[in-house]
Amino acid sequence: MTKAKKTFNLFTISEARNVIFGIATLWIGLFHSDGLTVAHYTDNQFLIEAFRLFKGTGNVGVDMFLFLSGIGLFFSFSKDSNVVSFWKKRLMRILPTAFLIATFYVCFRYVNGRFTSGFEFFFSRMTFTYFFLRGERVFWFISLILVLYIVFPIFYKVIEKFKGLGMIGLVVLTVAFTMLLRAVSTGVYANIEIALCRIPVFIIGIWAGKFVMEKREIDIRWLFAFLGAAIASLVFIANFSEIMQGAIPGYSKDTDEIMWIFLYRYASCPLGISLVVLDSYVITELRKRGQCNILRNFFEFVGMYSMEYYMIYLNVNHYLERIYDIDSEHLIMLYFGSCVISLVLCVLVRKVCDFFMAYMQRQPKNPVDQTEGDLSMRWYNFLIYAGLYILAVYDVFVAFMYFSDGLVIQGVFALLIVVCAIAAKVMLTKRKELGKLMLYITLALNPLLIIADNLFRSGEMQTIMKGGKKSILTIVVWIAVTALIIYANKKYFDKREKLFVK
């Protein structure tokens, strides 16, 4: 009798997805826990070095996350290939939460005197564009994932048409672009290499998504190949400096690291993919045997809040360490304390954002029911009023920033928006149509403040105020931009209001 060949179903990667997300998320957090070591608790040099290596390779969790994200997006886009719908779902999933956390972070750091001011600086940090402008890495992953969401449909179409060759072609193009940028502009490359070098693993994840969705079976012996790839990658990463010094005469980590770091990043790609496959196999086997359920459920819970945890944990951990000046022997308690605090904040932030988004898109079950319709409209009005109050508080803070920098005109402009927000709220309760117009104007003034601030800082506004053709052209453009924003606001709020019954 022929013995049945034992196989491994790739769909288990999808089934174990949240658990692996949780493992990768906590690993990334461990990687960013500066100074944490077990040397205070054991004299065993092997354990000390093993922990150091495990902690030091925690950035591979990012590659695991991106590989799984590519698979997940393949599933989502295969079910609904409408590009606009795809972008809307993805961006609405990440932007409200990310924006809320980033706003608190930037305001808190500014009040504590750790950030410079200026509306453009403030705005670029909250919109995650500062990473591309200056290379700041606080929320660099959010900046990357937003870009990947936007370009994903292109990657998907190429891979769908050309299969494996399409995947290889995209990987080659991204690697070639990275190396070209490194050769042409070392400064720009140094700013964004941490993101550029992670794109290939995302592309491979998209390609692998088809096999996972089709529940492709592979020979169980392939797991040994993944294990070998993981070990080889780990050895390369652990001995990166020594290997580079042997391969490149005169190589110095202090001066040349940024030039060759892409080799280190790319080594994380096979390690991350291999760990995802191996983890999914182990998790599936443990689930079948009913073992480690509590631990598995904990990792799955963390995986559900992976994006929030990434944004919150790093800042909570570093803030507590700085404030309390914790000794190195107590950093392990700081790590666990930061984990607990971060998870609590993750849940609260998600609940707030889910509540807001649910009611912004809420539609009564029975449109004929006038009571429910009235209740729905009350919620709609409440959200509008709450948004105006938040906008007013935000612009008070912006005005304070401008006045503290001696920028009186911009500060007065920000206070004008505060007055308009309050006036819009009052008018909405008394004269609805006029109140709507004031609401649209209030929302239009914020982007105009950004334009005005840039013009003042660049000195262009002084030239414009002297008169002439440039002055007339600027006024025309300003009016056109204002009208366009007001029209866009009207269309949006009219569409929102139709979801609620009057």
Side-chain angles (χ1 to χ4, degrees):
M1 181 180 290
T2 305
K3 188 176 180 180
K5 185 183 292 186
K6 194 173 181 182
T7 60
F8 170 65
N9 194 318
L10 291 177
F11 191 72
T12 57
I13 294 175
S14 178
E15 294 176 329
R17 182 172 179 263
N18 278 337
V19 181
I20 302 174
F21 269 150
I23 295 171
T25 300
L26 293 174
W27 198 9
I28 294 169
L30 183 66
F31 172 78
H32 286 282
S33 299
D34 300 333
L36 183 61
T37 177
V38 296
H40 299 288
Y41 310 99
T42 180
D43 294 328
N44 189 311
Q45 204 60 34
F46 174 78
L47 291 178
I48 294 172
E49 289 301 313
F51 180 81
R52 184 187 64 81
L53 178 61
F54 178 73
K55 175 180 174 293
T57 53
N59 57 334
V60 175
V62 176
D63 298 87
M64 297 169 67
F65 191 97
L66 287 171
F67 180 68
L68 288 171
S69 295
I71 294 173
L73 294 181
F74 182 91
F75 273 56
S76 177
F77 202 75
S78 297
K79 295 175 183 176
D80 181 8
S81 58
N82 184 289
V83 175
V84 175
S85 175
F86 170 81
W87 282 339
K88 183 178 179 181
K89 289 178 183 177
R90 296 294 102 193
L91 296 179
M92 286 301 100
R93 163 64 187 89
I94 193 174
L95 279 180
T97 305
F99 181 75
L100 178 62
I101 296 173
T103 301
F104 275 106
Y105 167 77
V106 173
C107 292
F108 181 79
R109 294 294 293 269
Y110 177 79
V111 169
N112 281 271
R114 299 183 66 84
F115 278 165
T116 56
S117 60
F119 189 79
E120 182 180 2
F121 175 87
F122 186 65
F123 180 79
S124 64
R125 283 181 178 270
M126 291 194 306
T127 53
F128 311 106
T129 55
Y130 200 74
F131 167 68
F132 299 107
L133 298 174
R134 300 289 178 85
E136 187 188 60
R137 298 185 177 185
V138 177
F139 298 134
W140 73 268
F141 183 78
I142 304 300
S143 304
L144 171 63
I145 204 69
L146 288 172
V147 172
L148 292 179
Y149 284 164
I150 294 172
V151 301
F152 171 81
I154 299 174
F155 289 165
Y156 178 91
K157 293 295 184 182
V158 171
I159 292 173
E160 182 185 42
K161 184 172 182 179
F162 299 103
K163 306 296 188 295
L165 288 177
M167 179 271 291
I168 294 172
L170 288 172
V171 169
V172 169
L173 283 175
T174 55
V175 172
F177 174 78
T178 301
M179 297 182 71
L180 178 64
L181 182 64
R182 167 182 162 270
V184 173
S185 179
T186 307
V188 175
Y189 166 76
N191 284 345
I192 63 175
E193 56 82 17
I194 194 173
L196 278 178
C197 296
R198 261 52 184 265
I199 297 177
V201 73
F202 176 77
I203 295 171
I204 296 172
I206 301 171
W207 171 74
K210 179 178 177 61
F211 304 115
V212 176
M213 191 169 68
E214 292 176 349
K215 302 183 179 181
R216 188 74 61 88
E217 299 273 354
I218 63 172
D219 193 301
I220 196 72
R221 287 173 292 186
W222 271 101
L223 293 177
F224 291 104
F226 284 110
L227 179 61
I231 294 173
S233 302
L234 190 60
V235 169
F236 179 81
I237 291 171
N239 300 281
F240 178 72
S241 294
E242 292 80 2
I243 293 172
M244 293 300 293
Q245 287 169 358
I248 304 172
Y251 172 85
S252 170
K253 181 177 180 180
D254 295 331
T255 58
D256 301 334
E257 189 85 340
I258 199 62
M259 296 299 292
W260 301 99
I261 193 68
F262 61 88
L263 296 176
Y264 178 91
R265 303 283 188 210
Y266 291 142
S268 299
C269 178
L271 178 56
I273 294 172
S274 299
L275 289 176
V276 167
V277 176
L278 295 170
D279 284 352
S280 64
Y281 174 76
V282 173
I283 292 165
T284 302
E285 290 299 311
L286 290 174
R287 183 186 288 119
K288 288 178 181 178
R289 299 173 187 178
Q291 297 175 340
C292 300
N293 288 336
I294 295 176
L295 187 61
R296 181 163 44 82
N297 290 337
F298 171 71
F299 284 136
E300 188 167 14
F301 172 77
V302 176
M304 292 170 57
Y305 298 94
S306 54
M307 191 266 290
E308 293 88 349
Y309 189 90
Y310 158 76
M311 297 186 70
I312 293 173
Y313 171 82
L314 304 184
N315 297 295
V316 167
N317 183 265
H318 291 162
Y319 176 75
L320 292 177
E321 183 180 6
R322 187 176 67 254
I323 292 297
Y324 294 105
D325 193 23
I326 298 173
D327 295 333
S328 59
E329 61 183 306
H330 298 133
L331 286 177
I332 192 165
M333 297 305 297
L334 172 67
Y335 172 72
F336 287 112
S338 300
C339 286
V340 173
I341 294 171
S342 299
L343 286 173
V344 172
L345 292 175
C346 286
V347 174
L348 290 175
V349 168
R350 176 75 70 84
K351 292 293 183 184
V352 169
C353 291
D354 286 350
F355 172 83
F356 177 78
M357 295 303 296
Y359 276 104
M360 280 302 290
Q361 302 179 45
R362 184 172 180 263
Q363 188 172 10
K365 295 179 181 177
N366 183 7
V368 180
D369 189 341
Q370 188 63 36
T371 303
E372 188 173 359
D374 292 341
L375 177 63
S376 182
M377 278 305 297
R378 286 200 296 272
W379 271 113
Y380 177 76
N381 290 331
F382 166 76
L383 291 170
I384 295 296
Y385 299 155
L388 285 169
Y389 282 129
I390 292 171
L391 183 64
V393 172
Y394 164 77
D395 280 303
V396 167
F397 177 79
V398 171
F400 170 76
M401 283 201 311
Y402 282 132
F403 285 130
S404 64
D405 288 345
L407 304 174
V408 179
I409 297 178
Q410 291 96 314
V412 172
F413 199 144
L415 289 179
L416 174 63
I417 300 176
V418 175
V419 173
C420 290
I422 296 171
K425 192 274 174 186
V426 174
M427 291 180 185
L428 281 169
T429 57
K430 295 182 178 180
R431 303 178 64 182
K432 191 163 186 178
E433 292 304 319
L434 188 58
K436 284 184 179 180
L437 178 60
M438 183 56 70
L439 170 66
Y440 306 149
I441 292 173
T442 302
L443 295 175
L445 287 175
N446 272 283
L448 292 178
L449 175 58
I450 300 174
I451 297 173
D453 183 50
N454 279 309
L455 291 175
F456 272 109
R457 289 177 183 275
S458 65
E460 287 294 320
M461 183 61 78
Q462 289 79 354
T463 305
I464 292 169
M465 293 174 68
K466 293 179 181 178
K469 294 181 180 180
K470 197 169 187 178
S471 176
I472 296 172
L473 178 61
T474 302
I475 293 172
V476 171
V477 172
W478 203 305
I479 293 173
V481 170
T482 306
L484 180 63
I485 296 173
I486 291 174
Y487 175 75
N489 287 331
K490 182 179 185 306
K491 295 290 288 184
Y492 174 79
F493 282 100
D494 285 349
K495 184 178 180 181
R496 291 294 98 197
E497 195 168 10
K498 288 177 183 178
L499 296 177
F500 297 81
V501 179
K502 296 182 179 181

